Amino acid sequence: MDIRPLTGGLGAEIHGADIRNAEDFDAIHEAFATYSVIVLRDQIAGPDDHLAFARRFGPINVNRFFKPVESHPEIAMVLKEKDQKEAVGEGWHTDHSYDQVPAMGSILHAIEMPPFGGDTLFVSMGAAYDALSPTMRGFLDGLHAIHSSRHVFGASVQDSEASKSGRLGNAEAATQDARHPVVITHPMSGRRGLFVNPVFTTHIEGLTPDESDAILAMLYDHCKQPEFQCRVRWQAGDITMWDNRATWHKAINDYHGFRRLMHRITVDGVALTP
Ligand SMILES: [Fe+2]
């Protein structure tokens, strides 16, 4: 197995591993804990193999809003058809941060890729936190923020293309609100990192709306610096797994006229602590 870091910030690509092989799991798990994003190239895996691999990490967290794969209700389809304009996940976000016990991570399998584009960007929230001044870190430590699914998956988005085309549904189930520390201690690595994101975080508790908006905008600008990022260029057959507690991600929607189909499985996590 050959593990190559993608950037100095986070991420690694792994060649020569097989997700179906139990003997490869310990090394894959260690790489995941070290790099937060791992790209397992050239996997020969069907939905059952994908599920079995995910279950080695923990119980499956079934997403309420994505259309599932027909034969496998635990697998969400992340799909953009060639005549569609909107992609899912275009804004910087952390999956499931609106849950009080947010998912550990997601495992995305590239089934059908456009001939170019459709990359995914990731940010290391630990690297972003480390680069803040001690004074700003001291201000943020101990604060809590509210996250919600309502404004993203709720009734107000029922007019969107994703909702009308059936890719997203279940808007009436978008009632989750969660309260998390703004700075968490990572449950596996113990590393401190920011845990707010532009899509699901609504506000920081204890601040006025203007103060909260200003602090969040400053943090979001800070986190978007390329020094904290890596970029995954997909090929069909690749499986990428990321740690929601340590990263943001963003889907690049630059492949209009082509179809892109991914299978996503999300794994349960634990409650987060400061
Ligand atoms: Fe996502």
Side-chain angles (χ1 to χ4, degrees):
M1 192 180 305
D2 181 17
I3 300 173
R4 305 175 198 165
L6 288 173
T7 66
L10 80 168
E13 62 177 338
I14 303 179
H15 295 263
D18 185 341
I19 65 155
R20 300 170 300 178
N21 189 347
E23 286 167 12
D24 286 355
F25 180 71
D26 285 350
I28 292 173
H29 188 274
E30 194 183 321
F32 174 65
T34 304
Y35 296 103
S36 302
V37 177
I38 51 171
V39 188
L40 295 142
R41 299 290 187 193
D42 304 321
Q43 298 302 306
I44 301 165
D48 290 324
D49 302 313
H50 190 184
L51 271 169
F53 176 65
R55 287 200 180 99
R56 293 189 208 277
F57 286 91
I60 308 303
N61 180 317
V62 180
N63 187 285
R64 310 165 188 83
F65 308 115
F66 286 84
K67 187 175 181 179
V69 173
E70 215 160 279
S71 55
H72 293 76
E74 291 157 301
I75 304 180
M77 283 215 289
V78 177
L79 171 65
K80 183 177 172 236
E81 296 284 6
K82 56 183 174 184
D83 59 345
Q84 293 173 339
K85 295 244 166 5
E86 297 170 11
V88 171
E90 286 185 59
W92 285 110
H93 67 283
T94 301
D95 294 336
H96 290 237
S97 76
Y98 48 79
D99 286 328
Q100 195 54 54
V101 180
M104 171 180 102
S106 292
I107 305 172
L108 201 56
H109 187 193
I111 307 295
E112 196 178 329
M113 292 303 294
F116 55 82
D119 298 354
T120 306
L121 295 180
F122 294 89
V123 166
S124 165
M125 302 309 286
Y129 176 73
D130 289 348
L132 292 169
S133 68
T135 306
M136 180 51 70
R137 293 204 298 263
F139 170 73
L140 298 173
D141 286 346
L143 294 178
H144 286 79
I146 305 301
H147 302 241
S148 181
S149 67
R150 296 171 193 271
H151 59 290
V152 181
F153 296 118
S156 63
V157 297
Q158 277 175 322
D159 283 343
S160 71
E161 181 193 69
S163 179
K164 282 182 183 157
S165 63
R167 286 182 291 168
L168 288 179
N170 238 358
E172 64 286 353
T175 56
Q176 296 81 23
D177 300 297
R179 179 178 181 268
H180 301 297
V182 170
V183 181
I184 61 166
T185 299
H186 193 278
M188 275 178 351
S189 68
R191 188 179 189 186
R192 305 272 288 154
L194 290 167
F195 194 77
V196 287
N197 69 85
V199 170
F200 295 117
T201 305
T202 59
H203 62 283
I204 296 175
E205 269 186 1
L207 302 181
T208 67
D210 284 350
E211 289 170 344
S212 171
D213 289 350
I215 292 289
L216 287 173
M218 179 276 294
L219 291 175
Y220 296 159
D221 273 353
H222 171 77
C223 290
K224 288 173 191 169
Q225 294 176 70
E227 285 77 3
F228 311 140
Q229 293 183 16
C230 74
R231 182 173 189 127
V232 172
R233 301 194 67 192
W234 296 88
Q235 292 187 324
D238 290 343
I239 289 181
T240 294
M241 177 170 186
W242 63 87
D243 188 326
N244 271 322
R245 293 86 49 97
T247 60
W248 279 355
H249 60 279
K250 170 183 171 59
I252 306 295
N253 185 11
D254 62 350
Y255 51 94
H256 299 305
F258 298 102
R259 189 174 196 260
R260 180 181 185 268
L261 172 63
M262 322 286 268
H263 284 180
R264 189 181 101 174
I265 300 177
T266 299
V267 179
D268 269 343
V270 295
L272 300 174
T273 54

